[in-house]
Amino acid sequence: MSATAIALQPPQSRFAYVTRIFAKEIQYEFVKMLRIKAFSLSVIGFPIMFYLLFGASNRHTDFARYLMASYGCMGVVSASLFGIGMGISMERAQGWLELKQASPMPRLAYLAAKIVSSAAFALIIQIALIALAITVGGAQVRAIEAVRLIGVTLLGSVPFAAMGLLVSVLVPANSAPGIINLIYLPMSFASGFWMPVSMLPHWLQTVAPALPTYHLGQLALSIIGMAQPGLTSTHIQVLAGYTLVMFGAAWIIFNRSEAKA
């Protein structure tokens, strides 16, 4: 009588198990967003296309540096609003979100995958714009400026992830693209992503400081010395306040909609 020896693996720790779930969910979410050409090509392509049009025509000028930072902020906002806002809204309509909720996967893993994937797209956009600014725009970009712009891109993705989450619980899936564009484009223009705020009409200059996009833009522009007068701490505090309010509002609305279901 022979006995077969079976090598048993040691039980996986809870932390390692949860970490693996988060990593897999983030990986699959990023690949999914990358394969959706309507999302990936437009979100990455539009800032790059606009820089090639306007940055290249202003070679060796401060405006080439300005657009490198401002269009990077535009990439953060579009990746978050379309990746999270439209993405979750459509998945709710398709019933995919209910299936995710019924699975044993931690709820936070689903949200983390959306946020990290959107931040990754924003990072790709910012790195591409830095490269274009140096090559096509003929701009002088120091390494420390590039690193700080990347840092602002990653940190700035958090408040707009919160905005995207709030949009996803308020906007129906079939009208999400149009409504998000109505939010995203006017905010981008009024916040100085296309031209300095000082060149906008006076009433828009008055409205701009109330917008979260303005404060993100000023954080990025301060790195290259082209921001409007103001304290960096003020911009950070405003963005942190927006983040808490929008996350809180999204959480309340989502829980109420679940209770009614």
Side-chain angles (χ1 to χ4, degrees), residues 69-145:
S70 64
Y71 283 170
C73 295
M74 190 170 70
V76 172
V77 179
S78 63
S80 298
L81 290 184
F82 286 99
I84 298 175
M86 189 172 70
I88 295 179
S89 180
M90 292 182 67
E91 288 176 4
R92 290 181 70 202
Q94 294 167 351
W96 183 245
L97 184 56
E98 290 183 7
L99 180 62
K100 287 279 190 178
Q101 289 175 317
S103 72
M105 180 190 73
R107 284 191 177 187
L108 191 58
Y110 174 81
L111 183 58
K114 295 284 185 187
I115 295 173
V116 173
S117 297
S118 297
F121 273 90
L123 183 61
I124 291 170
I125 294 167
Q126 185 63 81
I127 291 173
L129 288 172
I130 292 170
L132 287 174
I134 295 171
T135 55
V136 177
Q140 296 293 324
V141 183
R142 293 180 297 166
I144 188 63
E145 291 175 335

Side-chain angles (χ1 to χ4, degrees), residues 5-110:
I6 301 175
L8 297 176
Q9 293 183 346
Q12 202 173 29
S13 69
R14 176 67 180 173
F15 176 77
Y17 175 72
V18 172
T19 302
R20 186 169 176 271
I21 292 175
F22 272 69
K24 285 293 184 182
E25 189 67 17
I26 291 169
Q27 176 189 348
Y28 296 148
E29 180 65 25
F30 179 78
V31 171
K32 184 194 76 173
M33 293 170 70
L34 191 63
R35 287 178 175 175
I36 301 174
K37 301 305 181 185
F39 171 81
S40 58
L41 292 180
S42 59
V43 167
I44 296 175
F46 276 118
I48 292 175
M49 179 185 70
F50 289 138
Y51 192 88
L52 290 173
L53 289 173
F54 302 111
S57 60
N58 290 276
R59 281 179 58 84
H60 305 293
T61 66
D62 287 339
F63 196 53
R65 282 165 52 84
Y66 183 97
L67 292 179
M68 170 189 67
S70 64
Y71 283 170
C73 295
M74 190 170 70
V76 172
V77 179
S78 63
S80 298
L81 290 184
F82 286 99
I84 298 175
M86 189 172 70
I88 295 179
S89 180
M90 292 182 67
E91 288 176 4
R92 290 181 70 202
Q94 294 167 351
W96 183 245
L97 184 56
E98 290 183 7
L99 180 62
K100 287 279 190 178
Q101 289 175 317
S103 72
M105 180 190 73
R107 284 191 177 187
L108 191 58
Y110 174 81

